[in-house]
Amino acid sequence: MKLLYHMTNLPPRIQGTEASLQELNILRQHFGGELIHLNPNEQSPIYLPRLLFGFHQLKRIRAAEASIDAHHLYNADPFPFPIARRLRKPVIYSISSGVRPKRPNIPYFNSLAAVTVSDQRSFDQMTAWGIRNCFLVRHGIDTEQFSVNPLPLDGTFKMMVGSAPWTMGQFVTKGIDALLTALQKAPWLHLVFLWRGVLFEEIVERIRRMGLEKRVEIINQRIEVNTILARVHASVALATDPAIIKAYPHSLIESLAAGKPILLSRSIPMADYVEQHGCGQLIDNVTPEAILAAIEGLIQNYQGIQQAVVQRGASDFSHQAMIDSFKMVYDAVLSHD
């Protein structure tokens, strides 16, 4: 089989820091196929809305369709991109984030060859709405890059913070402001932010203004995440809206692969996995008080939670499991073509 992959995000400013692109590259390495960026706003002199994504690439897509079997489009939320209606080969549409409780364009998605989601919540919601061609797939990483390096509790608790904001509004909706406020109230807490070249000056200014320079580290370059995880006790990712973050954030998967517990909002679908397997702590509301309560709960039960992480961490999120789940989708689509 031969596929043409489509990404709706802009190329990352720092190579290797965009999780969806990492996943697509794993699939491309296994199945082969070119990647086309549908977002024209990297070069467009004016901002173009999502309804126009991909049309600047239509000539290239048409040329590729002569030799491919299907298209695989990757996007965070169930947005009905008109370009997909213009494609002549079957379209597989992957929704990488959690699905909001807002009904999407059902006829549009039922007209596609397949729709994939990566968490049970979103699958149940999509099928309840009447999406007939929905598949549940798995997120995966190269877990062999990670090793378990336990860090003793010594009075200072260190956390890695992933899923950095893309917009100013996400300082609130991704809980960055709440985390920094929590940090002001907890002198025993230290944070290591993984940044990706966007809004770097803004986070630096926030930290300076709040007087937190000595307890916050910002890594704004490509780095081996395993080396960061070796010197933290846990990782955290927050969101008030499931559609603004991957259903299974890569930073949290990486943390589990390295044997480190995770903290996350209940609104993120991965929370269901954490609750089922006891490998972290859930945060009910994205407020400084709720964040600190969750961290304190994790510290109190740290040894038992860490043991649960080490037992499952690497095995549940292998890149081979992700490849296998997508192969089932590809096979199903091409067998009906």
Side-chain angles (χ1 to χ4, degrees):
M1 69 183 74
K2 187 173 181 183
L3 292 109
L4 184 63
Y5 292 91
H6 304 267
M7 172 68 69
T8 59
N9 290 346
L10 288 171
R13 291 189 185 179
I14 301 174
Q15 188 177 1
T17 59
E18 213 289 311
S20 293
L21 186 56
Q22 291 173 26
E23 288 191 359
L24 274 191
N25 284 335
I26 288 173
L27 296 177
R28 290 176 62 213
Q29 288 166 13
H30 184 83
F31 296 104
E34 289 186 53
L35 172 65
I36 289 181
H37 284 276
L38 299 182
N39 189 330
N41 288 303
E42 186 176 35
Q43 280 132 16
S44 176
I46 59 168
Y47 177 80
L48 296 174
R50 295 204 288 178
L51 290 170
L52 299 178
F53 280 20
F55 285 97
H56 69 300
Q57 297 275 30
L58 191 55
K59 184 176 180 181
R60 180 183 170 193
I61 293 169
R62 283 278 179 266
E65 283 189 314
S67 60
I68 67 166
D69 299 303
H71 298 274
H72 188 170
L73 190 156
Y74 227 80
N75 186 58
D77 62 327
F79 182 83
F81 291 95
I83 187 67
R85 300 273 202 181
R86 301 289 295 274
L87 305 181
R88 294 170 178 165
K89 293 295 177 73
V91 177
I92 299 153
Y93 189 127
S94 287
I95 301 166
S96 61
S97 297
V99 174
R100 292 184 178 118
K102 180 182 178 183
R103 187 183 180 92
N105 185 326
I106 304 302
Y108 172 91
F109 285 98
N110 276 331
S111 72
L112 304 177
V115 179
T116 78
V117 294
S118 53
D119 67 278
Q120 191 69 45
R121 278 190 212 177
S122 297
F123 179 82
D124 292 344
Q125 181 65 83
M126 294 288 277
T127 53
W129 278 326
I131 305 293
R132 300 187 299 270
N133 52 355
C134 196
F135 292 81
L136 182 60
V137 295
R138 297 176 67 169
H139 281 308
I141 61 170
D142 183 0
T143 54
E144 294 181 1
Q145 295 182 15
F146 297 88
S147 54
V148 176
N149 296 288
L151 187 68
L153 294 173
D154 60 358
T156 298
F157 196 74
K158 299 178 181 178
M159 293 197 306
M160 185 181 82
V161 187
S163 298
W166 295 108
T167 66
M168 286 295 292
Q170 286 184 358
F171 276 96
V172 174
T173 57
K174 283 194 170 182
I176 305 302
D177 287 346
L179 263 174
L180 293 176
T181 302
L183 187 62
Q184 285 185 308
K185 300 179 179 182
W188 43 267
L189 182 61
H190 288 241
L191 300 177
V192 180
F193 283 95
L194 297 185
W195 222 250
R196 41 195 172 196
V198 178
L199 302 173
F200 178 66
E201 293 77 12
E202 285 76 5
I203 183 66
V204 169
E205 173 57 24
R206 272 172 161 76
I207 290 166
R208 185 201 62 76
R209 191 171 65 243
M210 299 175 80
L212 297 171
E213 298 97 322
K214 293 183 179 179
R215 292 192 288 127
V216 177
E217 179 182 355
I218 310 170
I219 297 172
N220 192 41
Q221 62 186 27
R222 188 174 185 180
I223 195 166
E224 292 295 330
V225 178
N226 190 51
T227 64
I228 304 303
L229 287 165
R231 52 189 182 88
V232 301
H233 296 96
S235 298
V236 60
L238 302 170
T240 59
D241 177 354
I244 64 171
I245 194 168
K246 286 181 71 66
Y248 280 76
H250 266 209
S251 60
L252 299 187
I253 295 176
E254 291 165 346
S255 189
L256 295 182
K260 300 299 170 82
I262 60 178
L263 296 93
L264 71 164
S265 312
R266 282 191 184 273
S267 62
I268 301 173
M270 191 178 185
D272 299 341
Y273 173 90
V274 171
E275 193 161 48
Q276 181 181 358
H277 299 296
C279 55
Q281 199 80 17
L282 301 185
I283 299 172
D284 293 313
N285 301 295
V286 182
T287 64
E289 296 74 22
I291 292 168
L292 285 177
I295 295 171
E296 289 164 357
L298 175 61
I299 292 170
Q300 290 170 10
N301 301 288
Y302 189 78
Q303 187 174 4
I305 293 173
Q306 188 181 42
Q307 288 176 352
V309 172
V310 172
Q311 286 174 3
R312 303 195 66 95
S315 59
D316 282 356
F317 299 102
S318 72
H319 68 303
Q320 188 58 51
M322 183 181 75
I323 289 168
D324 291 344
S325 70
F326 274 106
K327 185 178 186 301
M328 290 198 315
V329 178
Y330 295 161
D331 288 343
V333 167
L334 297 179
S335 68
H336 288 93
D337 186 27

